[in-house]
Amino acid sequence: MVLDGKRILLVIAGGIAAYKCLELIRRLRERGAFVRCVMTRAAAEFVTPLSVAALSEDKVYGDLFSLTDEHEMGHIRLSREADLVVVAPATAHILARMAGGLADDLATTLLLATDKRVLVAPAMNVRMWEHAATAANVATLAARGILFVGPREGPMACGEFGPGRMAEPADILAAIEGTLADDGALAGLRALVTSGPTVEPIDPVRFIANRSSGRQGHAIAAALARRGAATTLVTGPTALADPPGVTVVRVETAREMLAAALAALPASVAVCSAAVADWRPAEAAAQKLKKNDAGKAPRIALAENPDILATLAGAGNRRPALVVGFAAETENVVENATAKRARKGCDWILANDVSPATGTFGGAVNTIHWITASGVEAWPRMSKEAVAERLAERIAAALAAKGGRP
Ligand code: C5P
């Protein structure tokens, strides 16, 4: 049911497991999916484009420089007109090219150009899979949100035994169905996410801010939007690109962020991941403060900023059904975060250790304790994109249980 009418773009790379793709294509077609295939030059050494074309009931694409193909269907359109991109088998070579951002044939060019989710099924010799270079490439790709199915452990065509066998077509099919089912899990609902730092002016040229990159909040907005939620991202200044399919509202100060967040209601879920400045200069000087006589540094009086998370959690009948906050702590992470959950009146807190040694602030990875009314769950150290995916899954499940409406 999930696959009916869905468009799968299948990239077949050159590995012995390419023959299993024929079975995968057949099963996808049986379930009503449209399958468009792109083969690397090496893939055509393992399975014939003719078999792939016959089973997919479509033309097979292979050459970036074919003027006819580019005319009929440019590589950008090819990558965008899919609901999901699947790479199977994914060889060590194509994983390396993906990780490096190379675009030297049609397959890698569309993988670089796509704005869709990408699921890869690695297949290679066990030593190649375990090589530090492949491990680093896989980690890079996973951190970017690329999804993996397999590899499995077992006897290999090369005679060795271990992890590296491509997942069976049935497993790849299940992973595709799971990913696509997930995609619509928040359809029809509205989500609000705050992200980034706030910037509080001292005078027209100076400000108080913090080191938040916005990476976690932007990834959460992207993950919610991908699941079909109409998502508003209220963000302080960051260097990040707007996540696809998200309404982005740019603000500078905490007070602007609060106003924009309230304006985005009603929403079924609000996730406050912004690093809001706790204080702002009580009065921003209208003109640039001048250096006075030596030794006379100005004193800046501070005023407390509004708490956006607590305001949303206490918004009465406008309160989102699910209000989620973060707690950046440097010590007693779980205890402090548990107390914060109660104090702010939110449903969940994602607690993370931001002591400098962890590299969390501004970095790519996060270690989360997920704190709810029913207890604490420790998540393994993972990329901020992976945290966003897991959180979005939990949000979808919780809203489904609540009926989802604010
Ligand atoms: O109190 P503390 O800053 O540690 O709380 C962190 C959580 O509260 C985060 O979810 C953050 O986005 C939110 N917050 C807020 N407005 C503030 C301060 C924090 O929304 N003024």
Side-chain angles (χ1 to χ4, degrees):
M1 237 4 228
V2 178
L3 282 169
D4 198 22
K6 286 287 174 352
R7 294 159 306 175
I8 309 296
L9 181 61
L10 176 63
V11 175
I12 308 174
I16 188 75
Y19 77 91
K20 291 191 194 170
C21 280
L22 300 177
E23 168 79 2
L24 177 63
I25 297 167
R26 210 170 56 77
R27 293 194 181 204
L28 286 165
R29 293 288 298 133
E30 274 168 12
R31 284 162 180 74
F34 299 107
V35 188
R36 182 158 274 160
C37 297
V38 171
M39 297 176 71
T40 64
R41 192 164 299 188
E45 304 285 335
F46 293 93
V47 281
T48 69
L50 194 61
S51 326
V52 173
L55 286 172
S56 65
E57 298 168 70
D58 197 355
K59 180 177 160 51
V60 173
Y61 293 80
D63 190 352
L64 179 59
F65 304 106
S66 155
L67 289 177
T68 331
D69 282 3
E70 275 294 301
H71 179 68
E72 281 175 13
M73 166 77 74
H75 59 277
I76 303 286
R77 225 179 98 201
L78 194 58
S79 67
R80 303 277 165 84
E81 279 191 3
D83 294 302
L84 181 69
V85 181
V86 179
V87 187
T91 57
H93 186 52
I94 203 164
L95 291 177
R97 289 189 293 157
M98 288 168 74
L102 300 189
D104 55 357
D105 63 2
L106 179 61
T108 47
T109 304
L110 70 88
L111 285 163
L112 199 57
T114 191
D115 57 355
K116 297 295 159 37
R117 290 224 264 186
V118 178
L119 172 73
V120 305
M124 67 197 75
N125 166 272
V126 55
R127 302 270 170 270
M128 292 168 79
W129 175 252
E130 287 175 348
H131 195 284
T134 305
N137 291 332
V138 168
T140 301
L141 294 170
R144 284 186 205 144
I146 301 284
L147 306 166
F148 283 81
V149 49
R152 278 184 160 199
E153 197 159 289
M156 309 184 122
C158 55
E160 294 191 41
F161 187 93
R165 266 173 75 92
M166 187 169 86
E168 293 304 318
D171 297 334
I172 301 176
L173 192 72
I176 293 172
E177 282 179 332
T179 307
L180 290 174
D182 213 30
D183 275 355
L186 292 170
L189 301 182
R190 288 163 58 94
L192 161 66
V193 180
T194 69
S195 182
T198 65
V199 163
E200 312 290 339
I202 297 170
D203 67 16
V205 297
R206 303 181 179 95
F207 55 79
I208 298 176
N210 60 65
R211 294 185 195 281
S212 167
S213 64
R215 188 162 170 171
Q216 184 64 79
H218 279 56
I220 292 167
L224 295 173
R226 218 163 21 232
R227 285 167 175 75
T231 305
T232 300
L233 172 68
V234 181
T235 178
T238 76
L240 301 172
D242 289 353
V246 169
T247 304
V248 179
V249 182
R250 286 190 186 73
V251 297
E252 298 228 318
T253 66
R255 288 186 293 178
E256 288 167 5
M257 187 173 272
L258 175 63
L262 291 173
L265 297 181
S268 297
V269 56
V271 181
C272 292
S273 57
V276 184
D278 290 318
W279 302 282
R280 64 177 181 276
E283 300 275 347
Q287 303 300 331
K288 184 181 168 198
L289 297 179
K290 294 277 185 239
K291 216 190 283 184
N292 289 325
D293 303 337
K296 287 225 164 161
R299 290 196 173 272
I300 300 171
L302 297 176
E304 196 166 319
N305 266 330
D307 192 309
I308 299 162
L309 175 60
T311 308
L312 292 172
N317 59 6
R318 308 198 74 209
R319 184 193 196 276
L322 196 58
V323 179
V324 183
F326 274 75
E329 303 287 344
T330 54
E331 55 180 0
N332 303 329
V333 175
V334 171
E335 295 74 14
N336 289 344
T338 305
K340 188 164 294 179
R341 182 181 161 276
R343 198 165 62 242
K344 303 239 184 188
C346 59
D347 300 291
W348 300 347
I349 285 269
L350 275 70
N352 51 356
D353 186 344
V354 292
S355 43
T358 64
T360 299
F361 232 61
V365 293
N366 220 340
T367 310
I368 295 287
H369 282 86
W370 180 49
I371 298 171
T372 68
S374 26
V376 180
E377 184 181 287
W379 293 359
R381 185 174 157 85
M382 57 176 102
S383 71
K384 289 182 177 174
E385 287 75 13
V387 168
E389 286 298 321
R390 188 177 282 207
L391 175 62
E393 274 167 25
R394 301 290 160 92
I395 289 172
L399 289 179
K402 285 186 187 220
R405 303 292 152 186

